[in-house]
Amino acid sequence: MVWAHVRVRGIAAFLLFAVLAWAGFASAQEASETKPAEPAETHGRLVLVLPFENRTGDKSLDWMGSAFPDVINRRLGSAGFLTIRRSDRIYAFDHLGLPTDLQPTRATAIRIAQTLDADYVVFGHFDKGADATSNQIAAETLTLDVSSLRLSPPIEQPGDAEHLLQMINSLAWKVARQLDPTLSVDEQTFIAADKNLHTDAFRDYIQGVVAVDAKEGISHLRNALRLDPGYAPAWLALGRAYFADEDYDDAATALGHLPADDPNALEADFYRGLAFFFIGNYREAEDAFAFVSTRLPLPEVVNNQGVAASRRGKDSGALFEQAIASDPRDPDYHFNLAIALAHRNDTAGALKELQEVLNLRPGDSEAQSFANQLKSPAGTGPNPDPGHAVSDAQGPLTRIKRGYSEAGFRQAAFELEQLQQTQLASLSPPDRAAQLIKAGDQFFQRGLVLEAEREYREALKADAQSALAHAGLAAVKERDGESEAARQEAHASIQLAPNVPAYLVLARLDLQVNQLSAAATDVSEALRVDPESASAKGMKLALERRGQTLP
């Protein structure tokens, strides 16, 4: 299932389907009033979130319509769903002959969802609150199960423009719980995910993403980053905007701001690699593609790593063979392997690959010309000695892939996660809990708090007596600013088994309220558990600098 390959059957068929779908939808809506909702696992976890309709009558708030899917997509992705990005949605609109700013009817939404193979569609609207003179707004969302055409009960969420992110994150949590009632992540974790992001920076980010004019979009994105220099999605969007504008130097610089452990780091480094490639910095291009391929070895990435390496005089045949193994129907990979084989003096092998190129793409004149060159007798063609390797000057250049399917990237990563979940299910409960805690710790260290909480709670489902799972939740609650909940989780952890992470959570909480003596006791207990704990030793030094010794 790769939804980027949109199936287009013509506008007439689309209109006919829309009429039929509307009729089916009406009956399905009636049925939904008597049938309970089914969990997300019943039909899959691929979700399409459409822009929300602005019913306020204030055109200056149109940008909020795109803010809803942006936030909901990120939160659903963190909750274990696979969401369809704006670029894929626009691709579908374009191939269905629909304007990109269309506010779809329900029937149209069904057609778009089926075009993209979505299991669920989330759509809604926002309007002014009861007091039209204030900045209060109210949103309502509906979720459609595409396979059964069953519509969920509406979810309503009040809020105000100044706290828009909090409002949308709360709505996202309710949508996630509606899709998956077993989701155990707290609403506060969703809300806290964007607590440090200023609404003005977010507004400029959204306006930059949806801007039609490239320079206007770049201006908005740069302003968003001026307000919040650490907002990684804005760096990614700015890098992509520079790349689309063929400003490759600035694109490479912007994309380089994403940390290696950011969820979008793979996408960023793919385009960063292309940017370096187009300005002739092949070493940096090779390194960028290698970073991506070691984590997600999709054929276009492996191919590009090979192309960048070949421009530096390296033999990249093995990389091209790896790309072919993943996608044998792409003629460019065979063409690149032919060049690598020709450089090895393997003329027969090169000709075989070129023939495969021509089988797949009969009109490939460059492949035909190169094959003729390799076949030419000594002294009569551009390669006077077929027994020797073809030089760069004599042969064509390897072919770079200028784009990739974002959907393919994210789907591969999602399927890898699903495979890991299947493997976890085969472990004993304590071992499964240990692996989930390890994953939670890794998420937490990367700042992915929502994902971390999900793993820790799954660990407790596997092993309710896991002290470290409670310690992990204590750290999550501390990060979310829920001090009392963090203390409760830390104490629950220690009651099960005294451990360093839980004691250090308590120590940090005590320091926040200037309870130095209590913090010193916490650190002392942590060192009793593990005298060599670097974290506990660090907190001991911090206390001593403030004049507090351990008991």
Side-chain angles (χ1 to χ4, degrees), residues 107-135:
T108 310
I110 294 170
R111 174 57 173 153
I112 295 167
Q114 295 201 338
T115 297
L116 295 170
D117 293 323
D119 300 303
Y120 296 93
V121 184
V122 177
F123 58 100
H125 64 267
F126 62 98
D127 204 341
K128 292 181 179 179
D131 182 2
T133 62
S134 71
N135 63 353

Side-chain angles (χ1 to χ4, degrees), residues 404-469:
Y404 74 102
S405 166
E406 293 177 14
F409 255 60
R410 296 170 60 247
Q411 185 174 343
F414 180 80
E415 289 175 352
L416 178 61
E417 182 179 351
Q418 298 305 301
L419 176 61
Q420 291 170 340
Q421 292 297 326
T422 301
Q423 293 171 340
L424 281 174
S426 66
L427 299 177
S428 66
D431 288 342
R432 184 162 66 252
Q435 290 298 316
L436 289 165
I437 292 168
K438 181 179 179 181
D441 291 344
Q442 291 173 343
F443 279 130
F444 189 80
Q445 290 163 9
R446 293 166 54 192
L448 302 175
V449 181
L450 194 157
E451 289 87 342
E453 180 175 345
R454 187 184 69 189
E455 298 299 301
Y456 294 139
R457 292 197 182 279
E458 287 299 316
L460 284 175
K461 288 181 181 178
D463 181 4
Q465 301 302 306
S466 173
L468 291 180

Side-chain angles (χ1 to χ4, degrees), residues 153-335:
I155 299 174
E156 297 180 354
Q157 182 66 46
D160 63 79
E162 289 185 9
H163 301 94
L164 179 68
L165 285 162
Q166 179 176 326
M167 171 192 178
I168 302 178
N169 275 302
S170 184
L171 180 65
W173 180 80
K174 294 174 182 177
V175 170
R177 288 276 296 170
Q178 190 175 68
L179 290 173
D180 184 1
T182 66
L183 181 70
S184 54
V185 178
D186 289 343
E187 181 179 4
Q188 184 59 37
T189 307
F190 272 60
I191 294 173
D194 286 322
K195 65 179 180 180
N196 295 323
L197 177 59
H198 196 283
T199 301
D200 289 343
F202 180 66
R203 181 190 61 221
D204 267 306
Y205 160 70
I206 292 294
Q207 289 175 328
V209 169
V210 302
V212 176
D213 179 74
K215 297 194 183 308
E216 179 187 349
I218 289 171
S219 177
H220 277 297
L221 292 168
R222 290 181 61 167
N223 196 50
L225 289 164
R226 181 184 61 80
L227 295 169
D228 188 348
Y231 190 42
W235 281 117
L236 175 64
L238 180 61
R240 291 292 304 270
Y242 279 136
F243 186 90
D245 205 35
E246 298 185 359
D247 183 352
Y248 300 124
D249 283 299
D250 283 339
T253 300
L255 294 167
H257 278 81
L258 275 80
D261 58 4
D262 187 90
N264 295 310
L266 298 181
E267 177 184 346
D269 263 57
F270 181 86
Y271 283 100
R272 186 165 171 258
L274 281 177
F276 279 129
F277 184 85
F278 292 147
I279 60 178
N281 190 340
Y282 301 128
R283 179 185 295 277
E284 293 288 353
E286 181 184 356
D287 289 345
F289 291 130
F291 168 77
V292 180
S293 68
T294 55
R295 291 157 177 78
L296 203 58
L298 295 182
E300 52 264 60
V301 183
V302 175
N303 173 79
N304 286 6
Q305 181 185 351
V307 171
S310 69
R311 298 294 172 90
R312 300 179 58 213
K314 293 183 178 181
D315 183 346
S316 300
L319 290 169
F320 298 138
E321 287 174 346
Q322 183 181 343
I324 291 170
S326 297
D327 185 3
R329 300 293 299 172
D330 191 303
D332 291 338
Y333 305 151
H334 291 280
F335 183 83

Side-chain angles (χ1 to χ4, degrees), residues 327-366:
D327 185 3
R329 300 293 299 172
D330 191 303
D332 291 338
Y333 305 151
H334 291 280
F335 183 83
N336 290 345
L337 179 56
I339 293 175
L341 293 174
H343 280 285
R344 294 179 189 171
N345 300 326
D346 185 355
T347 303
L351 288 170
K352 180 180 178 183
E353 292 301 323
L354 290 170
Q355 184 57 53
E356 187 63 27
V357 174
L358 293 169
N359 290 340
L360 294 167
R361 187 187 290 154
D364 195 323
S365 59
E366 188 180 30

